[in-house]
Amino acid sequence: MKQILLIGIGAGDPDYVTIQAVKALNRVDVFFVLDKGEVKQDLVDVRQEILDRHVERSYRVVEARDPERDRSTPAYAEAVHDWRRRRADVCEELIRTELADGETGAFLVWGDPSLYDSTLAIVEDILARGDVEFDYEVVPGITSVQALVAKHRTSLNRVGRPVQITTGRRLAEGFPDDVDDVVVMLDAHNSFTGVEDDVDIYWGAYVGTPDELLVSGPVHEVGERIVATRAEARERKGWIMDTYLLRRRT
């Protein structure tokens, strides 16, 4: 039986890799890497640094091109579904052709495989197709959310109060009801600029990497600074990976 490991490797700092993840890395015969192109080559480089630092056995790295997602269509859910299907096609072919029976393959997942990452759903999709057989395990990792609040020296929640994790698209519809602490991911449109004046923001980009950017304060005071900082960083690197915590003052 083929074995697949989904290994959470943290938010960007190779030191975020857990001892459990290191043990898992050293069980792997083949690492599968979906290449996102030259613009995001530094993401591939971090993965390689993690392997160089932590793996003490021989292994192979097999790369394949990550399919592009249609970001121009207003049909967001349909576009994501189509992208995941095409990504599953690529991953299924890798598992079928590059991994022998009895071998262990792995996908290295940024942060944690369970939080805003498609790899777990893609693996389930491949298994449901029934064309290739394998077993799989999930190894948790440090998420960008955990790294963000640690860098800002604050907590994710307050005593007796809920925390909600949502997207920029949902935040644009309004601050969630009955929640004072909201983590926002996948916000390409600076939706935080529309929240009330009594909200603080803890924002971070490229957290855990040498390019790390951090800004915090009342949204009405630092919001435009974050917008400008984010735009400059995206222009400079060609991509951005950021998240933030919104906290209503009570």
Side-chain angles (χ1 to χ4, degrees):
M1 176 72 74
K2 299 179 180 183
Q3 181 79 10
I4 297 294
L5 304 179
L6 309 184
I7 305 175
I9 57 174
D13 186 338
D15 286 343
Y16 287 162
V17 178
T18 66
I19 294 174
Q20 183 185 23
V22 170
K23 291 179 179 178
L25 291 171
N26 281 280
R27 293 166 51 195
V28 175
D29 300 295
V30 184
F31 290 97
F32 300 119
V33 175
L34 296 185
D35 182 7
K36 296 179 179 293
E38 292 183 5
V39 172
K40 294 187 177 181
Q41 181 60 39
D42 44 355
L43 296 179
V44 176
D45 293 342
V46 172
R47 283 191 174 100
Q48 189 58 55
E49 181 181 352
I50 288 171
L51 297 183
D52 292 343
R53 183 183 298 191
H54 296 299
V55 180
E56 299 179 347
R57 57 170 292 174
S58 61
Y59 62 85
R60 292 189 295 122
V61 174
V62 177
E63 297 186 13
R65 186 69 176 186
D66 196 5
E68 293 287 339
R69 176 163 66 85
D70 184 359
R71 300 180 183 275
S72 62
T73 176
Y76 173 76
E78 291 81 357
V80 170
H81 177 76
D82 174 70
W83 171 67
R84 284 189 174 186
R85 177 187 57 76
R86 290 183 288 115
R87 215 180 194 207
D89 292 342
V90 174
C91 294
E92 181 179 24
E93 185 65 13
L94 290 174
I95 295 170
R96 177 188 294 111
T97 61
E98 299 290 346
L99 193 67
D101 284 339
E103 286 190 324
T104 298
F107 293 93
L108 305 185
V109 180
W110 291 107
D112 182 275
S114 68
L115 183 65
Y116 282 87
D117 184 84
S118 64
T119 312
L120 186 53
I122 286 170
V123 166
E124 288 285 354
D125 180 14
I126 295 170
L127 282 173
R129 298 176 181 185
D131 297 325
V132 59
E133 292 187 359
F134 59 89
D135 194 9
Y136 76 94
E137 297 178 25
V138 178
V139 178
I142 294 175
T143 68
S144 60
V145 177
Q146 294 166 283
L148 174 76
V149 294
K151 291 290 185 175
H152 280 291
R153 297 186 298 181
T154 190
S155 60
L156 184 58
N157 70 302
R158 288 176 286 181
V159 176
R161 300 183 187 180
V163 175
Q164 181 168 323
I165 300 177
T166 188
T167 65
R169 287 175 177 269
R170 299 300 297 269
L171 181 67
E173 300 171 0
F175 202 99
D177 294 333
D178 301 322
V179 180
D180 294 327
D181 299 284
V182 179
V183 174
V184 182
M185 307 181 75
L186 306 179
D187 184 6
H189 302 289
N190 302 309
S191 300
F192 56 83
T193 58
V195 304
E196 307 96 297
D197 288 343
D198 64 340
V199 174
D200 293 328
I201 186 169
Y202 300 86
W203 176 84
Y206 317 114
V207 177
T209 76
D211 296 308
E212 178 179 278
L213 299 168
L214 299 171
V215 178
S216 65
V219 170
H220 70 277
E221 293 182 7
V222 302
E224 291 307 314
R225 176 181 161 198
I226 293 173
V227 171
T229 300
R230 190 181 191 280
E232 186 279 330
R234 186 180 182 88
E235 176 67 22
R236 172 170 46 86
K237 289 183 65 67
W239 62 279
I240 191 163
M241 186 183 295
D242 65 336
T243 188
Y244 55 87
L245 166 68
L246 295 175
R247 172 157 290 160
R248 181 183 281 125
R249 295 191 294 277
T250 58

